[in-house]
Amino acid sequence: MTWQVDILTLFPEMFPGFLEFSLSGKALNRGEWSFCTHALRNFGLGNHKAVDDTPFGGGAGMVIRPDVLSFALEATQPKDNRPMVYLSPKGKLLTQASIQHYASGPGVYLICGRYEGIDDRVLRHYPIEEVSIGDYILSGGEPAALIFMDACIRLLPGVMGSLQSGVEESFSKGLLEYPHYTKPAVWEGKHVPDILKSGNHQAIALWREKQAQLITQERRPDLWERVANVNK
Ligand code: ADE
């Protein structure tokens, strides 16, 4: 069964973007995931196919009209039980756990906004989940949608192949990942830690676990606190 993504956007040509390359591109060719874009412009009003208007209450920017968005949603929303996700900086923060949830389902229906966003009433009228990919503002929902898709696609069965790196990486245990090294053993006078050349797999695993803890404590005290609370 293919993991299906529908994308409602003003810029359909932005897809599949970089997902055409590397592991996600191969998985697309093998049919492990598929996508379909829906151009919001096709549902616009009048000769100019207008999709947005000025905000009530004043202020900068334009807001996507609820009637236009609703026409588009009614015509294109999934008939199956795929979640509808609106990408927005004021959404719930995306985590590896939520990515695992979306990747383990049949797919998603992604709504990309531009300008100041979409009329808030639409978000209450439809069962739409509002999701942010991080605490920064992008120029629109499309790059966020591509990142959302990338993070899900690499978790689909078969996509990573024998690369089991998905299992032991940053966040899978709530910790950042330990540092990696490869040849040469000495580079620019810097040595690979001796333990990694010891062949003692148990000691290496312990060292890596400790490194992951130290890096998380230092760089992401918020994550460290969460892990500490879970283990209480
Ligand atoms: N659109 C603009 N900024 C965004 C963000 N940080 N996350 C999701 N969608 C966005």
Side-chain angles (χ1 to χ4, degrees), residues 10-12 31 39 61 72-73 81 106 117 120 134 149 156 161 175 186 188 225:
L10 280 165
F11 298 97
L73 289 174
N81 57 352
D120 212 69
M149 290 162 69
L156 300 177
L175 295 177
V186 184
E188 297 280 330
E225 203 171 315

Side-chain angles (χ1 to χ4, degrees), residues 57-222:
M62 301 287 270
V63 177
I64 295 181
R65 293 175 58 116
D67 46 359
V68 171
L69 194 49
S70 173
F71 284 147
L73 289 174
E74 295 295 340
T76 65
Q77 73 184 323
K79 306 287 176 274
D80 50 27
N81 57 352
R82 276 180 288 152
M84 291 202 280
V85 173
Y86 168 52
L87 294 144
S88 138
K90 69 177 172 63
K92 209 170 154 192
L93 206 57
L94 196 61
T95 62
Q96 190 62 22
S98 49
I99 286 291
Q100 267 158 5
H101 163 74
Y102 290 119
S104 63
V108 281
Y109 180 101
L110 300 178
I111 302 164
C112 301
R114 284 266 148 181
Y115 321 120
E116 288 310 301
I118 65 181
D119 188 293
D120 212 69
R121 288 167 290 182
V122 178
L123 295 170
R124 282 174 276 126
H125 189 74
Y126 293 95
I128 295 174
E129 300 166 25
E130 196 170 352
V131 168
S132 164
I133 65 156
D135 291 335
Y136 40 79
I137 314 288
L138 301 168
S139 53
E142 290 79 6
L146 287 165
I147 286 168
F148 180 108
M149 290 162 69
D150 179 89
C152 289
I153 290 163
R154 61 185 289 285
L155 296 183
L156 300 177
V159 173
M160 302 270 284
S162 59
L163 296 171
Q164 262 306 297
S165 32
V167 178
E168 249 202 43
E169 62 194 354
S170 290
F171 303 123
S172 64
K173 291 185 204 152
L175 295 177
L176 299 183
E177 207 177 6
Y178 53 79
H180 297 276
Y181 300 90
T182 187
K183 294 181 185 78
V186 184
W187 176 75
E188 297 280 330
K190 294 175 180 69
H191 293 249
V192 168
D194 283 339
I195 185 110
L196 298 178
K197 297 180 285 175
S198 69
N200 182 338
H201 296 297
Q202 206 179 348
I204 292 172
L206 279 174
W207 181 87
R208 286 178 166 164
E209 174 82 24
K210 188 71 198 161
Q211 290 293 314
Q213 290 173 359
L214 289 173
I215 291 171
T216 309
Q217 275 171 300
E218 186 190 304
R219 296 185 189 170
R220 294 291 304 274
D222 57 323

